[in-house]
Amino acid sequence: MLASQNEGMEKVHEAAKALFQLTWWLQRKGPLRAGLEPLPATEVAILGYVEDHEGVGVTEVGIALNMKAPNVSAAVRALVERGLLEKVADQHDKRKALLFITELTRRNRKSIDRAVTGSLEEVLEGLSPEHRESLFASLAALSEVAERLRSHG
Protein backbone atom coordinates (compact mmCIF):
# COMPACT_ATOMS: atom_id res chain seq x y z
CA MET A 1 0.00 0.00 0.00
CA LEU A 2 2.83 2.39 0.85
CA ALA A 3 4.41 1.96 -2.59
CA SER A 4 1.15 2.90 -4.34
CA GLN A 5 0.76 5.93 -2.03
CA ASN A 6 4.27 7.08 -2.95
CA GLU A 7 3.56 6.50 -6.62
CA GLY A 8 0.35 8.52 -6.33
CA MET A 9 2.17 11.37 -4.58
CA GLU A 10 4.84 11.37 -7.30
CA LYS A 11 2.14 11.70 -9.96
CA VAL A 12 0.53 14.57 -8.05
CA HIS A 13 3.94 16.25 -7.75
CA GLU A 14 4.60 15.81 -11.49
CA ALA A 15 1.17 17.23 -12.32
CA ALA A 16 1.79 20.24 -10.06
CA LYS A 17 5.21 20.78 -11.61
CA ALA A 18 3.85 20.62 -15.18
CA LEU A 19 0.97 22.98 -14.34
CA PHE A 20 3.33 25.42 -12.66
CA GLN A 21 5.64 25.47 -15.69
CA LEU A 22 2.71 25.94 -18.06
CA THR A 23 1.29 28.74 -15.92
CA TRP A 24 4.65 30.48 -15.77
CA TRP A 25 4.97 30.31 -19.55
CA LEU A 26 1.45 31.65 -20.08
CA GLN A 27 1.92 34.52 -17.61
CA ARG A 28 5.41 35.55 -18.76
CA LYS A 29 5.82 34.54 -22.39
CA GLY A 30 2.25 35.18 -23.51
CA PRO A 31 2.47 38.94 -22.91
CA LEU A 32 5.99 39.11 -24.37
CA ARG A 33 4.85 37.38 -27.54
CA ALA A 34 2.02 39.92 -27.75
CA GLY A 35 4.52 42.78 -27.42
CA LEU A 36 3.46 43.61 -23.85
CA GLU A 37 5.33 43.76 -20.57
CA PRO A 38 4.47 40.82 -18.28
CA LEU A 39 2.82 41.69 -14.98
CA PRO A 40 3.68 40.30 -11.55
CA ALA A 41 1.69 37.17 -10.69
CA THR A 42 -0.26 39.03 -8.01
CA GLU A 43 -1.46 41.62 -10.50
CA VAL A 44 -2.35 38.94 -13.05
CA ALA A 45 -4.44 37.14 -10.42
CA ILE A 46 -6.23 40.35 -9.43
CA LEU A 47 -6.99 41.29 -13.04
CA GLY A 48 -8.33 37.81 -13.71
CA TYR A 49 -10.55 37.91 -10.66
CA VAL A 50 -11.89 41.38 -11.43
CA GLU A 51 -12.50 40.38 -15.04
CA ASP A 52 -14.70 37.54 -13.79
CA HIS A 53 -16.34 39.65 -11.04
CA GLU A 54 -16.73 43.19 -12.41
CA GLY A 55 -17.67 45.70 -9.72
CA VAL A 56 -16.09 43.74 -6.89
CA GLY A 57 -14.62 45.55 -3.90
CA VAL A 58 -10.94 45.54 -2.96
CA THR A 59 -11.64 43.67 0.29
CA GLU A 60 -13.56 40.95 -1.55
CA VAL A 61 -10.66 40.50 -3.98
CA GLY A 62 -8.29 39.95 -1.07
CA ILE A 63 -10.60 37.43 0.55
CA ALA A 64 -11.23 35.55 -2.68
CA LEU A 65 -7.53 35.36 -3.57
CA ASN A 66 -6.40 34.78 0.03
CA MET A 67 -4.18 37.86 -0.08
CA LYS A 68 -3.36 40.39 2.63
CA ALA A 69 -5.09 43.76 2.32
CA PRO A 70 -1.87 45.83 1.96
CA ASN A 71 -0.70 43.57 -0.89
CA VAL A 72 -4.04 43.85 -2.68
CA SER A 73 -4.09 47.63 -2.22
CA ALA A 74 -0.55 48.02 -3.58
CA ALA A 75 -1.27 45.81 -6.60
CA VAL A 76 -4.58 47.57 -7.30
CA ARG A 77 -2.84 50.95 -7.07
CA ALA A 78 -0.20 49.78 -9.59
CA LEU A 79 -2.87 48.43 -11.95
CA VAL A 80 -4.84 51.69 -11.74
CA GLU A 81 -1.65 53.68 -12.48
CA ARG A 82 -1.01 51.48 -15.55
CA GLY A 83 -4.57 52.11 -16.74
CA LEU A 84 -5.52 48.44 -16.43
CA LEU A 85 -8.06 48.80 -13.60
CA GLU A 86 -10.56 51.48 -12.74
CA LYS A 87 -11.68 52.25 -9.20
CA VAL A 88 -15.17 53.68 -8.86
CA ALA A 89 -16.75 54.83 -5.60
CA ASP A 90 -19.66 52.63 -4.53
CA GLN A 91 -22.88 54.64 -4.86
CA HIS A 92 -24.23 53.08 -1.65
CA ASP A 93 -21.03 53.41 0.41
CA LYS A 94 -18.65 56.16 -0.73
CA ARG A 95 -15.88 54.68 1.48
CA LYS A 96 -15.82 51.56 -0.68
CA ALA A 97 -14.14 51.37 -4.11
CA LEU A 98 -15.43 49.01 -6.77
CA LEU A 99 -13.06 47.62 -9.39
CA PHE A 100 -13.56 47.33 -13.14
CA ILE A 101 -11.17 46.32 -15.88
CA THR A 102 -10.49 48.95 -18.52
CA GLU A 103 -10.74 48.85 -22.28
CA LEU A 104 -6.92 48.70 -22.36
CA THR A 105 -7.06 45.50 -20.31
CA ARG A 106 -9.62 44.03 -22.69
CA ARG A 107 -7.43 44.85 -25.72
CA ASN A 108 -4.30 43.51 -24.02
CA ARG A 109 -6.13 40.31 -23.03
CA LYS A 110 -7.21 39.75 -26.63
CA SER A 111 -3.65 40.30 -27.89
CA ILE A 112 -2.22 37.92 -25.30
CA ASP A 113 -4.91 35.32 -26.01
CA ARG A 114 -4.12 35.44 -29.74
CA ALA A 115 -0.37 35.13 -29.09
CA VAL A 116 -0.82 32.25 -26.63
CA THR A 117 -3.35 30.44 -28.81
CA GLY A 118 -1.04 30.66 -31.82
CA SER A 119 1.92 29.32 -29.84
CA LEU A 120 -0.13 26.52 -28.31
CA GLU A 121 -1.52 25.52 -31.71
CA GLU A 122 2.01 25.16 -33.07
CA VAL A 123 3.10 23.04 -30.11
CA LEU A 124 -0.05 20.90 -30.06
CA GLU A 125 0.34 20.12 -33.76
CA GLY A 126 3.60 18.41 -32.85
CA LEU A 127 1.93 16.11 -30.32
CA SER A 128 0.58 12.72 -31.22
CA PRO A 129 -3.19 12.64 -31.80
CA GLU A 130 -3.51 10.50 -28.67
CA HIS A 131 -1.72 13.07 -26.50
CA ARG A 132 -3.78 15.93 -27.95
CA GLU A 133 -7.03 14.09 -27.26
CA SER A 134 -5.86 13.16 -23.77
CA LEU A 135 -5.03 16.79 -23.05
CA PHE A 136 -8.39 18.02 -24.35
CA ALA A 137 -10.22 15.30 -22.42
CA SER A 138 -8.59 16.48 -19.18
CA LEU A 139 -9.72 20.11 -19.50
CA ALA A 140 -12.99 19.63 -17.61
CA ALA A 141 -11.17 17.88 -14.78
CA LEU A 142 -8.51 20.62 -14.65
CA SER A 143 -11.21 23.28 -14.49
CA GLU A 144 -12.89 21.43 -11.64
CA VAL A 145 -9.58 21.15 -9.77
CA ALA A 146 -9.00 24.90 -10.20
CA GLU A 147 -12.49 25.68 -8.90
CA ARG A 148 -12.07 23.37 -5.91
CA LEU A 149 -8.68 24.93 -5.09
CA ARG A 150 -10.25 28.42 -5.24
CA SER A 151 -13.02 27.43 -2.85
CA HIS A 152 -10.62 25.44 -0.64
CA GLY A 153 -8.63 28.56 0.21
Side-chain angles (χ1 to χ4, degrees):
M1 182 76 165
L2 187 57
S4 66
Q5 276 183 322
N6 286 339
E7 187 177 302
M9 288 305 294
E10 286 178 26
K11 287 181 180 181
V12 170
H13 175 74
E14 287 301 312
K17 185 176 169 183
L19 291 170
F20 178 79
Q21 290 172 347
L22 181 59
T23 300
W24 183 88
W25 186 91
L26 291 170
Q27 286 184 347
R28 302 297 296 172
K29 297 292 187 169
L32 288 172
R33 287 178 181 256
L36 301 167
E37 187 66 30
L39 297 172
T42 299
E43 293 177 20
V44 171
I46 290 171
L47 277 179
Y49 189 80
V50 173
E51 187 174 30
D52 292 340
H53 302 87
E54 291 267 357
V56 68
V58 175
T59 302
E60 291 86 358
V61 171
I63 291 168
L65 297 177
N66 198 26
M67 293 173 57
K68 293 183 171 139
N71 296 340
V72 175
S73 294
V76 165
R77 192 169 30 260
L79 290 165
V80 169
E81 288 171 4
R82 285 190 189 95
L84 299 173
L85 268 187
E86 182 180 10
K87 283 172 71 172
V88 176
D90 186 335
Q91 292 179 351
H92 305 291
D93 182 354
K94 298 295 182 192
R95 298 169 296 169
K96 183 177 178 180
L98 304 178
L99 302 174
F100 298 87
I101 61 171
T102 64
E103 190 55 40
L104 176 60
T105 298
R106 291 181 209 288
R107 284 193 312 267
N108 288 354
R109 175 75 71 197
K110 286 179 185 175
S111 295
I112 292 168
D113 287 349
R114 280 192 302 271
V116 166
T117 300
S119 294
L120 283 174
E121 274 183 332
E122 291 173 21
V123 170
L124 293 177
E125 285 176 4
L127 292 180
S128 69
E130 296 81 21
H131 278 152
R132 270 195 311 275
E133 288 308 312
S134 177
L135 176 66
F136 295 146
S138 69
L139 294 177
L142 286 171
S143 293
E144 185 176 342
V145 167
E147 185 57 40
R148 287 178 181 223
L149 285 171
R150 268 192 294 275
S151 63
H152 188 263

